[in-house]
Amino acid sequence: MDKILEAVVMSSYPNNVKQGLVRRVIEAAKQPMDSEQCWSMLELSTKLYLTGDTKYKREIGKEVLEVYGHYHPEEFEEFFNVRFLLSLLQEGYGPLGKRSHYILDYIQLGLQFVLESPSANSIFSLLRIEVLRKVCERPSPKQCAKISKLLTQHPQCVPTGKHQVLFCQQLIRCIGQFQCISEGEEDIMEFLEQVNKVSGLLQRIWRTQTSAILPSLKELFTIISSTEEQEVPSNALASVVQFVPLELMDGVIRNLTNDDSITDVQMMTAIGRMIDWVSWPLGKNIDKWIIALLKGLAAVKKFSILIEVTLSKIEKVFSKLLYPIVREGALSVLQYMLLSFQHSHEAFHLLLPHIPRLVASLKKEDSNSATTSLEQLAELIHCMFFRFSGFPDLYEPVLEAVKALPIPNEDRIKHLLGQNAWTSQKNELACFYPRLASKSETGKIGLINLGNTCYMNSIIQSLFMASDFRHSVLNLTEGNSQPLMTKLQWLFAFLEHSQRPAISPESFLSASWPPWFTPGAQQDCSEYLKYLLDRLHEEEKTGKRIYQKLKESSLMSQAVEHHYLNKTLIEKMFGGKMMTKIRCLKCLNVSSREEVFTDLSLAFPPPDRHVHGSPSVLPVEEIGPQFTEPPENLSQLTGSPWIQRKAPMAGDPAAPPVPVETLGFQEPGEAANPLSGNAIGVDAAKDPLLASGEQARAPKDSRSVPDLINYFLSPERLTAENKYHCEKCASLQDAEKVAELTEGPHYLILTLLRFSFDPQTMKRKKILDNVSIPVVLKLPILVAPEETEEVCRRGKDRAAPGSGFMSVVYDLCSVVVHSGISSESGHYYCYSRECTDTLPHEQPRDRAPKLASDKQLDFEIQWYLFNDTRVSFSSFESVSNVTSFFPKDTAYVLFYRQRPGRQSCLLHEALAEAGRLHGEPSLHKDLMEAISKDNILYLQEQEKEARNRAAYISALPKSPLWWRDFDRDKDDDSSSGGCSPAAGGGGSGSFHGLVF
């Protein structure tokens, strides 16, 4: 019968004819027959099953085996013996030998017919040893799946005792070598099914033998932490972790993170490879294990590992949000990585270029998964905005992408940041501040934040960018008896000449620290600036008193005497004068008092207060990039409101207030001020900027810096409880108080009083009103009568005959921005540019300047954004729009530099002369040597760090190019082309971006 069956199978008859003949043979096999015939048929069916070159032959072999197993059990048991099975497993079958792929299927098929036989236990014992040997040979995923299927169906064949632990460990080693070569979706699905069968077997073993779990996990960690040069372990290992009971997590993580035998490099390699497991589809709890290990490392303060791994892997995790099948786990890991990485903006900034594309892709997908992920991603982004403010140029595209998504409230943001931080002790992360491999492309140097010291950093950078002040500080000689100024000189010198990307202002901080400031707490940068300038001023004044005593003993030369008799440097650079006048409204007596100032604190007018123009005096103006010519008709100029004006008679209305006017911010439909053009000395017909109507206009209800200055200079009525005690009347009287600027500082510092005390909350609240900032500002300065003739003769400013006002032009230099809603919190950063005189040195002094380069001065001088260690190029457009994009980021302190004019001509000429004679300031020997030594030290540090990082980075597992995920999704409409094997498959839900 075996000959007949073999002839039928090997014949060239059609399959349907063969099938009929085979049926008859199989039916005959159900009848009793002798043992020899049974053996012949079993040998033939075994041959067909194991060596058949078609599926049809193997199916026939299987059918015959099953018939003989059912109807001839004794012969089958005799045939299916231990020796035969051992030969199959060790030597293979027939000409294919060990290459036969169906031996395990054959054994599984035959086992069901010998389970009750006397030889069953011997067969089980053999298989326990042989399956262990098989997995030690590292079979393919397909063969491993067959072993798993065999052992799942016949658990009696699973190795026992110590062999069981070894079997689990070796099975994990097999999984670690699994690779899916094909990118076809069917092949990937088959691969996933195979892996799930193998990991499912481990799960069954662990359920019955929990003692095998920890040795298995130890083997798993050994595989993923290996730093030897070899193939990267397969992400299929993720399928193993999902079956580890979560109740074991705490103990396992605690043992790992406290094991001194595990090196940092091994730990970093392991966690890096675990993070790659977010690519594994359909895995459960993988994200929980990754996050648990990250938290465990934070608990034992392994911050260097966390930083390296986060920076190297966060972009890959982010890219997996494109794929719905792994999105949930990837988002969980991403959230923890970002929310815990709070010492530096580096991790978040790596994602900025990719966020808009991902958001667009998720919106296009329009699924429940995408919608939920978008909302969670937006919440995460706003947390990062809150934690790392001060990067408006980088954040604008991201803000635009997420503007339609919900914004979390501040309490929610603080809760998320608070519960995910690696440590509550900020000083523990001080040495891990962002690594900056090289100096900023701007050539400028940043300042390290020493723990909420951004208020100081922004002020120092603003002072440094005040070039006249910087040059004066750098030109100071040794032994100037000004210790704080000397420290500032050293700090400026390092900012000018260091090779470091950022330097630490620690020494200057300790020297300039206001004693009432709380260490580590956010402070008011305006308060710090006032204290600093006052300290520097008083220090120099002390030096002058020392000089006076030396002079009395005649120990000082005339040259030194002349130097010390001048104003202090702070007075020269930042000092201005203001006259405060109070007029009694009964007797019209005016009392006045002149005082000096280094900054003007500008309050916000009440919401219902509108400032209107009046032709009485020169208003504060915002002007375009033109330089105004002196007026030909001096009668256009106006005088003081209280001089050259007829005193009102009793019963007359009070004197008109100081008028205010802002060019370019006139309300639509409002009557133009008849003197507004004359007030600034600009003929609209001659000025193309005005004639074309291109001058900037603010929104109707917005404030501008000129508005605030005009409010500051406008008269104030003193009535009711605030009456003035008139000496002439010898009683309390209604009065009018007005402030007039009598001397404009070289650098005008304006502080916008944004913080006010709220009696309801008992806290200082912030006024978030947007204030438009003019790049050029005109300030009215009161001119004394004896100065008027000289002013008119020089022709550099406008003044009235007698006593009146003149306009002084100021250029914007720096803007310190506060980000946040309270003075006790938030962040400071600043925009700055270098303003210098554009006046040619050879220009005659008796001619009015006509600067063709003023437009360049105003708009083309490069702006920089200083945000602690980061320095980047910026623009005035960014300065102007920052509050529009980020409502909590508001201008707080402004620095303006005075253009050359009558008031400042001597100082400007002295500075210009010093610049021509000396060029850049030359530093004294000790300072130059200190900078040179530090630059050499920095190069040595860089070399050492490069070696250390090379050791770390080489340990990180190699990953496929993660950015392929973004590029593939960039334009879904064109995905039908391309050269990849998977071209045309696509969409964000495809498997092709997953890493196996």
Side-chain angles (χ1 to χ4, degrees):
M1 191 179 291
D2 58 302
K3 300 295 183 185
I4 297 171
L5 180 61
E6 185 173 15
V8 169
V9 171
M10 298 300 178
S11 71
S12 58
Y13 294 131
N15 279 353
N16 59 339
V17 175
K18 290 184 185 179
Q19 192 64 35
L21 295 172
V22 169
R23 280 283 134 226
R24 294 170 66 180
V25 172
I26 289 175
E27 287 299 320
K30 294 179 181 180
Q31 305 304 317
M33 60 177 65
D34 59 49
S35 178
E36 186 178 346
Q37 185 62 45
C38 282
W39 269 78
S40 299
M41 287 296 289
L42 287 169
E43 284 178 345
L44 175 60
S45 58
T46 299
K47 178 182 176 183
L48 289 174
Y49 190 89
L50 293 176
T51 63
D53 53 0
T54 65
K55 186 177 180 180
Y56 175 71
K57 292 178 182 177
R58 292 194 297 275
E59 286 295 328
I60 291 174
K62 180 183 177 184
E63 283 190 63
V64 173
L65 281 168
E66 288 174 336
V67 167
Y68 278 84
H70 279 295
Y71 293 96
H72 306 283
E74 293 181 3
E75 287 79 2
F76 189 90
E77 289 170 14
E78 187 180 351
F79 178 80
F80 199 79
N81 58 63
V82 170
R83 183 175 296 176
F84 173 59
L85 295 181
L86 181 63
S87 172
L88 280 180
L89 289 166
Q90 293 191 354
E91 299 172 14
Y93 182 84
L96 289 176
K98 291 184 179 180
R99 288 177 290 125
S100 177
H101 299 300
Y102 301 101
I103 290 175
L104 291 170
D105 305 275
Y106 176 82
I107 293 174
Q108 183 178 343
L109 178 65
L111 271 179
Q112 60 185 310
F113 304 112
V114 297
L115 294 176
E116 304 300 329
S117 71
S119 63
N121 287 333
S122 300
I123 293 174
F124 294 153
S125 297
L126 169 70
L127 289 177
R128 290 187 200 112
I129 296 171
E130 285 301 306
V131 293
L132 176 58
R133 184 183 62 79
K134 277 282 184 186
V135 296
C136 289
E137 292 176 354
R138 306 288 179 265
S140 67
K142 190 172 185 178
Q143 291 299 307
C144 262
K146 289 181 178 181
I147 292 174
S148 301
K149 186 179 177 182
L150 170 66
L151 299 185
T152 300
Q153 191 169 341
H154 303 289
Q156 308 95 319
C157 302
V158 175
T160 56
K162 291 182 178 179
H163 286 173
Q164 188 178 75
V165 172
L166 182 60
F167 175 76
C168 291
Q169 292 174 326
Q170 293 302 316
L171 201 58
I172 289 171
R173 289 234 168 236
C174 288
I175 297 173
Q177 294 188 356
F178 287 178
Q179 298 297 335
C180 182
I181 300 171
S182 172
E183 287 196 9
E185 196 156 320
E186 288 185 8
D187 293 330
I188 291 174
M189 292 302 296
E190 183 183 3
F191 176 73
L192 289 173
E193 189 178 350
Q194 291 165 355
V195 174
N196 283 341
K197 282 181 180 177
V198 179
S199 57
L201 172 63
L202 281 169
Q203 181 190 23
R204 290 180 180 87
I205 294 174
W206 290 346
R207 279 178 180 170
T208 58
Q209 196 67 39
T210 54
S211 61
I213 297 177
L214 291 180
S216 301
L217 290 181
K218 188 174 182 180
E219 188 70 18
L220 172 65
F221 187 81
T222 302
I223 295 169
I224 62 175
S225 64
S226 173
T227 57
E228 297 174 6
E229 287 297 328
Q230 59 182 15
E231 194 171 353
V232 177
S234 171
N235 283 348
L237 288 168
S239 65
V240 175
V241 174
Q242 67 180 328
F243 295 123
V244 180
L246 292 179
E247 54 266 27
L248 296 178
M249 181 184 287
D250 289 343
V252 170
I253 297 300
R254 190 165 51 250
N255 288 339
L256 275 179
T257 53
N258 289 282
D259 189 339
D260 293 335
S261 67
I262 300 172
T263 66
D264 284 0
V265 173
Q266 288 175 322
M267 183 62 78
M268 187 172 66
T269 304
I271 186 62
R273 286 169 174 163
M274 282 182 68
I275 290 172
D276 285 344
W277 292 350
V278 297
S279 304
W280 187 255
L282 306 177
K284 297 177 182 177
N285 299 330
I286 296 170
D287 55 323
K288 292 184 176 67
W289 280 95
I290 295 171
I291 293 169
L293 184 51
L294 291 172
K295 286 182 176 179
L297 291 171
V300 295
K301 305 190 189 313
K302 296 283 188 179
F303 301 129
S304 57
I305 297 175
L306 291 167
I307 290 168
E308 289 291 346
V309 168
T310 301
L311 294 179
S312 63
K313 293 294 182 182
I314 195 164
E315 288 174 285
K316 182 176 181 182
V317 173
F318 184 79
S319 72
K320 297 308 165 192
L321 299 183
L322 287 167
Y323 305 99
I325 199 167
V326 296
R327 183 176 292 152
E328 185 179 353
L331 186 56
S332 295
V333 174
L334 179 74
Q335 283 177 318
Y336 179 76
M337 291 174 86
L338 273 183
L339 291 171
S340 63
F341 203 92
Q342 293 186 30
H343 71 289
S344 159
H345 54 257
E346 284 178 289
F348 178 50
H349 285 193
L350 286 174
L351 305 181
L352 295 180
H354 314 304
I355 291 175
R357 270 191 287 172
L358 177 70
V359 170
S361 177
L362 292 178
K363 285 180 178 177
K364 189 175 181 180
E365 183 183 314
D366 193 26
S367 65
N368 289 335
S369 166
T371 302
T372 303
S373 298
L374 270 175
E375 291 177 356
Q376 291 178 315
L377 184 62
E379 182 177 72
L380 193 56
I381 289 168
H382 283 289
C383 286
M384 295 297 100
F385 283 168
F386 181 87
R387 180 66 187 86
F388 305 115
S389 55
F391 301 92
D393 50 339
L394 294 179
Y395 293 169
E396 282 180 19
V398 177
L399 192 67
E400 183 68 22
V402 300
K403 65 181 181 182
L405 297 170
I407 300 174
N409 61 43
E410 191 168 327
D411 289 339
R412 170 67 176 165
I413 289 173
K414 288 179 177 177
H415 171 72
L416 288 172
L417 291 171
Q419 71 176 12
N420 287 287
W422 286 338
T423 173
S424 59
Q425 305 299 317
K426 294 182 180 178
N427 59 339
E428 291 182 337
L429 288 163
C431 59
F432 297 107
Y433 204 80
R435 296 176 309 274
L436 298 167
S438 60
K439 211 168 176 178
S440 163
E441 60 181 354
T442 62
K444 306 294 182 185
I445 296 174
L447 290 169
I448 294 173
N449 190 315
L450 302 172
N452 279 331
T453 57
C454 53
Y455 68 91
M456 178 188 72
N457 290 350
S458 57
I459 291 299
I460 289 175
Q461 294 287 17
S462 297
L463 293 173
F464 178 79
M465 292 297 284
S467 52
D468 298 332
F469 178 65
R470 179 179 74 244
H471 289 160
S472 298
V473 171
L474 292 175
N475 273 321
L476 289 173
T477 56
E478 288 184 87
N480 53 45
S481 301
Q482 300 177 57
L484 183 58
M485 186 67 83
T486 300
K487 286 187 180 294
L488 183 63
Q489 182 187 42
W490 278 63
L491 184 56
F492 278 6
F494 272 83
L495 285 173
E496 185 94 44
H497 299 288
S498 177
Q499 293 301 312
R500 294 181 184 273
I503 60 175
S504 171
E506 186 173 5
S507 175
F508 188 76
L509 173 65
S510 60
S512 63
W513 180 273
W516 60 90
F517 277 14
T518 304
Q522 185 60 277
Q523 306 294 344
D524 187 328
C525 76
S526 173
E527 187 178 2
Y528 174 76
L529 174 60
K530 288 183 177 74
Y531 177 78
L532 175 61
L533 295 182
D534 187 57
R535 277 277 309 275
L536 293 171
H537 169 69
E538 291 298 326
E539 192 177 75
E540 190 172 347
K541 277 176 64 179
T542 302
K544 291 181 185 298
R545 286 196 292 271
I546 294 171
Y547 150 75
Q548 193 63 36
K549 292 184 178 180
L550 290 172
K551 182 186 175 185
E552 290 170 4
S553 60
S554 301
L555 296 175
M556 190 166 287
S557 67
Q558 284 190 349
V560 176
E561 177 181 344
H562 177 73
H563 170 78
Y564 275 98
L565 284 175
N566 286 336
K567 292 180 177 179
T568 68
L569 179 59
I570 300 304
E571 288 175 313
K572 291 176 189 174
M573 292 294 167
F574 305 102
K577 291 182 180 178
M578 176 170 39
M579 182 75 73
T580 303
K581 298 178 180 179
I582 302 179
R583 182 178 63 169
C584 174
L585 294 180
K586 182 178 180 183
C587 68
L588 302 183
N589 180 58
V590 176
S591 65
S592 59
R593 183 182 77 255
E594 189 174 55
E595 53 191 339
V596 296
F597 66 88
T598 53
D599 80 314
L600 296 180
S601 298
L602 306 179
F604 282 70
D608 56 347
R609 172 73 181 261
H610 294 285
V611 183
H612 297 286
S614 168
S616 302
V617 298
L618 296 178
V620 178
E621 301 160 10
E622 172 183 347
I623 64 174
Q626 71 280 356
F627 195 96
T628 57
E629 298 181 19
E632 296 178 6
N633 182 3
L634 290 173
S635 65
Q636 295 171 347
L637 302 176
T638 56
S640 168
W642 293 345
I643 306 174
Q644 301 180 345
R645 182 186 299 142
K646 181 181 177 181
M649 303 298 291
D652 284 357
V658 176
V660 288
E661 177 186 6
T662 306
L663 181 65
F665 286 87
Q666 187 176 313
E667 301 291 349
E670 183 183 317
N673 188 310
L675 297 184
S676 62
N678 293 334
I680 62 165
V682 177
D683 186 341
K686 295 178 182 177
D687 194 308
L689 192 73
L690 294 179
S692 63
E694 291 177 0
Q695 194 140 3
R697 289 185 179 271
K700 184 170 183 178
D701 296 326
S702 72
R703 300 286 186 187
S704 68
V705 170
D707 288 339
L708 302 189
I709 300 177
N710 285 329
Y711 179 61
F712 176 83
L713 297 176
S714 63
E716 176 188 357
R717 281 295 181 97
L718 305 178
T719 60
E721 295 179 356
N722 202 25
K723 283 188 176 184
Y724 164 67
H725 185 273
C726 176
E727 292 183 359
K728 191 173 181 179
C729 299
S731 61
L732 293 173
Q733 298 293 336
D734 288 350
E736 193 174 57
K737 177 181 176 182
V738 69
E740 295 173 340
L741 303 178
T742 57
E743 183 179 318
H746 184 62
Y747 282 101
L748 172 67
I749 300 174
L750 303 175
T751 301
L752 312 187
L753 296 179
R754 290 190 174 275
F755 301 111
S756 60
F757 185 76
D758 186 346
Q760 293 182 343
T761 61
M762 300 299 289
K763 291 182 180 179
R764 292 175 75 194
K765 66 178 182 179
K766 182 177 177 182
I767 300 170
L768 294 171
D769 295 6
N770 192 2
V771 176
S772 61
I773 305 169
V775 70
V776 182
L777 182 72
K778 278 191 156 186
L779 208 60
I781 303 295
L782 183 65
V783 183
E786 61 271 14
E787 296 177 338
T788 305
E789 186 178 343
E790 173 65 14
V791 174
C792 296
R793 186 184 67 78
R794 295 177 71 91
K796 291 197 175 184
D797 302 275
R798 296 177 294 123
S803 180
F805 285 87
M806 54 171 276
S807 287
V808 177
V809 181
Y810 282 89
D811 294 300
L812 183 65
C813 293
S814 294
V815 179
V816 178
V817 176
H818 177 264
S819 176
I821 59 171
S822 166
S823 61
E824 288 83 22
S825 62
H827 180 63
Y828 289 100
Y829 57 95
C830 75
Y831 293 93
S832 289
R833 62 172 181 165
E834 295 214 36
C835 289
T836 55
D837 298 337
T838 56
L839 193 65
H841 297 306
E842 65 274 8
Q843 181 171 335
R845 293 184 184 177
D846 57 348
R847 292 182 54 194
K850 297 181 181 181
L851 298 185
S853 59
D854 274 1
K855 187 166 186 178
Q856 181 270 337
L857 172 69
D858 294 337
F859 294 107
E860 294 181 17
I861 292 179
Q862 180 64 59
W863 282 87
Y864 303 94
L865 175 56
F866 294 89
N867 186 3
D868 289 335
T869 56
R870 182 179 181 269
V871 187
S872 58
F873 289 115
S874 192
S875 65
F876 182 65
E877 182 183 11
S878 180
V879 180
S880 304
N881 295 335
V882 63
T883 308
S884 302
F885 282 98
F886 303 93
K888 294 178 185 176
D889 291 28
T890 52
Y892 184 39
V893 178
L894 314 177
F895 287 72
Y896 281 88
R897 180 183 183 273
Q898 187 180 148
R899 284 195 190 172
R902 180 200 65 79
Q903 273 218 333
S904 60
C905 59
L906 294 176
L907 179 57
H908 277 279
E909 287 167 9
L911 291 169
E913 185 67 24
R916 284 197 297 273
L917 291 176
H918 306 292
E920 283 298 309
S922 57
L923 306 178
H924 57 78
K925 183 181 177 183
D926 288 351
L927 188 46
M928 286 302 297
E929 285 182 358
I931 293 171
S932 178
K933 285 181 181 178
D934 186 69
N935 286 339
I936 293 171
L937 177 63
Y938 172 65
L939 292 176
Q940 293 171 344
E941 289 172 359
Q942 288 292 94
E943 291 173 4
K944 183 178 179 181
E945 184 179 350
R947 288 194 295 270
N948 292 341
R949 277 178 60 77
Y952 264 63
I953 298 301
S954 64
L956 287 172
K958 306 296 185 294
S959 301
L961 300 180
W962 58 265
W963 56 83
R964 234 176 13 178
D965 300 327
F966 288 111
D967 293 338
R968 181 176 291 117
D969 194 66
K970 200 171 188 177
D971 187 358
D972 289 348
D973 296 334
S974 61
S975 63
S976 57
C979 305
S980 71
S988 60
S990 70
F991 284 107
H992 309 310
L994 303 178
V995 183
F996 297 103

Coordinates of all heavy atoms in Angstrom, one line a residue, residues 359 363 374-375 378 382 398-407:
V359 N 2.1 68.3 14.9 CA 0.8 68.8 15.2 C -0.1 68.8 14.0 O -1.2 68.3 14.0 CB 0.9 70.2 15.8 CG1 -0.5 70.9 15.9 CG2 1.5 70.2 17.2
K363 N -3.5 66.6 13.5 CA -4.8 67.2 13.1 C -5.3 66.6 11.8 O -6.5 66.4 11.7 CB -4.5 68.7 12.8 CG -4.3 69.5 14.1 CD -4.1 71.0 13.8 CE -4.0 71.8 15.1 NZ -3.7 73.2 14.9
L374 N -3.0 65.3 21.0 CA -2.8 66.7 20.7 C -3.0 67.6 22.0 O -2.2 68.5 22.3 CB -3.7 67.2 19.6 CG -3.2 67.1 18.2 CD1 -4.3 67.5 17.2 CD2 -2.0 68.0 18.0
E375 N -4.1 67.2 22.7 CA -4.4 68.0 23.9 C -3.3 67.8 25.0 O -2.9 68.7 25.7 CB -5.8 67.6 24.5 CG -6.9 68.1 23.6 CD -8.3 67.6 24.1 OE1 -8.3 66.8 25.1 OE2 -9.3 68.0 23.4
A378 N -0.2 69.6 23.9 CA -0.3 71.1 24.1 C 0.0 71.4 25.5 O 0.6 72.4 25.9 CB -1.6 71.6 23.6
H382 N 3.0 73.9 26.9 CA 2.8 75.1 27.7 C 3.5 74.9 29.1 O 4.0 76.0 29.6 CB 1.3 75.3 28.0 CG 0.6 75.9 26.8 ND1 0.8 77.2 26.4 CD2 -0.3 75.4 25.9 CE1 0.1 77.5 25.3 NE2 -0.6 76.4 25.0
V398 N 6.0 77.3 17.3 CA 5.3 76.3 18.1 C 4.0 76.8 18.6 O 3.0 76.1 18.6 CB 6.3 75.8 19.2 CG1 5.5 74.8 20.1 CG2 7.5 75.2 18.6
L399 N 4.1 78.0 19.1 CA 2.9 78.7 19.7 C 1.8 78.8 18.6 O 0.6 78.6 18.8 CB 3.2 80.0 20.2 CG 2.1 80.7 21.1 CD1 1.9 79.9 22.4 CD2 2.5 82.1 21.4
E400 N 2.2 79.1 17.4 CA 1.3 79.2 16.3 C 0.6 77.9 16.0 O -0.6 77.8 15.7 CB 2.0 79.7 15.0 CG 1.2 80.0 13.8 CD 0.2 81.1 14.0 OE1 0.4 82.0 14.8 OE2 -0.8 81.1 13.2
A401 N 1.4 76.8 16.1 CA 0.9 75.5 15.8 C -0.1 75.0 16.8 O -1.1 74.3 16.5 CB 2.1 74.5 15.7
V402 N 0.0 75.4 18.1 CA -0.9 74.9 19.1 C -1.9 75.9 19.6 O -2.5 75.7 20.6 CB 0.0 74.3 20.3 CG1 0.9 73.2 19.9 CG2 0.8 75.4 21.0
K403 N -2.0 77.1 18.9 CA -2.8 78.2 19.5 C -4.2 77.8 19.6 O -4.9 78.4 20.4 CB -2.6 79.4 18.6 CG -3.2 79.2 17.1 CD -2.9 80.5 16.3 CE -3.5 80.4 14.9 NZ -3.2 81.6 14.1
A404 N -4.7 76.8 18.8 CA -6.2 76.5 18.9 C -6.4 75.4 19.9 O -7.6 75.1 20.2 CB -6.6 76.0 17.5
L405 N -5.4 74.9 20.6 CA -5.6 73.9 21.6 C -5.7 74.4 23.0 O -5.3 75.5 23.3 CB -4.4 72.9 21.5 CG -4.2 72.2 20.1 CD1 -2.9 71.5 20.1 CD2 -5.3 71.2 19.9
P406 N -6.3 73.7 23.9 CA -6.5 74.2 25.3 C -5.2 74.5 26.0 O -4.2 73.9 25.8 CB -7.2 73.0 26.0 CG -7.8 72.2 24.9 CD -6.9 72.3 23.7
I407 N -5.3 75.6 26.8 CA -4.1 76.0 27.6 C -4.4 75.7 29.0 O -5.4 76.1 29.6 CB -3.9 77.5 27.4 CG1 -3.7 77.9 25.9 CG2 -2.7 78.0 28.3 CD1 -3.6 79.4 25.7

